[in-house]
Structures are given as C-alpha cells and as structure tokens.
Amino acid sequence: MKLALCDDHQLFRKGLRQLIEDFSIPTEILWEAENGRDALHYTRKGLVPEILLLDAQMPVMDGEQTARILKSEFPDVKVLVLSMLDEEARILYLLRQGVKGFISKDIRPQELEEGLLTVAKGGYYFSDAATAHMLETIQSNKSTSEKDTLTDKETQFLALSCSELTYKEIAEQMQLSIKTIDHYRIALFEKFKVKSRVGLVIYALKHGLVHL
C-alpha cells in the first residue's frame, strides 16, 4: 500500500510514520510534505500515492485546496483527512472534493489500520472519535439497499443535500416550499437514523445512494 503524509507538524508526521510502519499490512510511505503545495509537487513528479493522509489546516496551501486540485489532476488518489472538523459546510465541501473519510489525530492504531484498509478497498471511513465529534451518524456496515424505498423527490432531495446548496436554495431548485423540504429532511433523518445533514450525506455515500 503506497501512502503519503501531509501535515505541517514534523513530530506528528514522524509519529504517524512509525505507527504505520508497525502495521501488519505491507506499506510504503512515498513522501512526507508539510503543506499542500509540496504534496502536489511530489505527486506531479510521479510519486503518486494510493492513499494520502492529509491535514485540513496547514500554511501555504491547506487541505481543502489540496483536495480540490488532487481531485482534478489525480482522481485516483484516495484522501483521508487528519482533522476533526465541526463546520458542516467545510465537511460537505471536502466530501465533494473526493475525500474518503475523516480521522482524528488521536486515533487508536487499530482504527487507523482499519481505516487504511477500508479506503484502499474503495470504501469510506470515519473514525469513532471523528464521528462522535462532527458527524453524529451511524457506523452500520449493513448491506441492505435503501434506494428502492426512496421516492423520486426524496432521491432528488438527497442528491441536492450532498451539494453546497442551502435548504432554501434546494427548495427553489426543486420548486417546492421550504416547509416541504423540511418534511423531506425530517423523513430521511428518521429513515436513516441520523441527526445532521452531514450524517445524511455520509449515510448516502456509504450505502451507494449517491455518488459525488
């Protein structure tokens, strides 16, 4: 598994490298970078990782900019964000830039190894700490399909919820009242047992109901 690390704290990168090198899965860390600009430099030179562990907040070029450019130039690179964000708009933005998950910096070694394996197989991963802090959603791995139980309007609302549109803008685009949009939102929250818009988006992604 070819990995790369991008974080502006050298001691944290060193500790993360040592942690990863102790895993049972064979790994190779291609490079370390302290900001997104350097990360893009290495990747453009041909050192393309399978998974990039990316800090969201860095000087020079932050994680949001880096993820956006990587999605455009290197869409096959899977990005795991090393931060616990609590701003809904930023989380949704990063998910739309192809981010495959969020993990906290105090993650347990077993969680990190599990996260790398999950993302390597094409899945999404959200550590327990990150989930508790910012997502308030389920960690279910059930494989049942919910797609067939959604109406056309619910499916459209779900897809638009994964965008950066506000609920008011979604109502305008669907040519419905904000009260009707609230009805769809509450109904899907109850159906999927989630408590936030981010939780709704992550559930939809994990179960293949939408594709960003």
Side-chain angles (χ1 to χ4, degrees), residues 29-45:
I29 296 179
L30 298 181
W31 45 262
E32 296 180 25
E34 62 181 19
N35 57 63
R37 185 185 63 187
D38 291 347
L40 291 171
H41 171 73
Y42 290 127
T43 308
R44 287 166 175 161
K45 284 181 63 176

Side-chain angles (χ1 to χ4, degrees), residues 17-31:
R17 173 185 279 271
Q18 292 176 340
L19 193 65
I20 292 171
E21 289 174 346
D22 287 337
F23 288 164
S24 59
I25 54 176
T27 59
E28 177 186 2
I29 296 179
L30 298 181
W31 45 262

Side-chain angles (χ1 to χ4, degrees), residues 42-60:
Y42 290 127
T43 308
R44 287 166 175 161
K45 284 181 63 176
L47 297 173
V48 183
E50 180 181 358
I51 299 174
L52 171 62
L53 294 164
L54 177 69
D55 189 17
Q57 299 172 320
M58 298 175 292
V60 184

Side-chain angles (χ1 to χ4, degrees), residues 2 42 51 57 64 69 90 99 109 139 169 181 183 187-188 204:
K2 296 183 184 297
Y42 290 127
I51 299 174
Q57 299 172 320
E64 293 179 17
I69 296 172
R90 293 186 68 197
V99 166
Q139 290 295 311
E169 290 168 336
I181 290 300
H183 171 76
L188 290 180

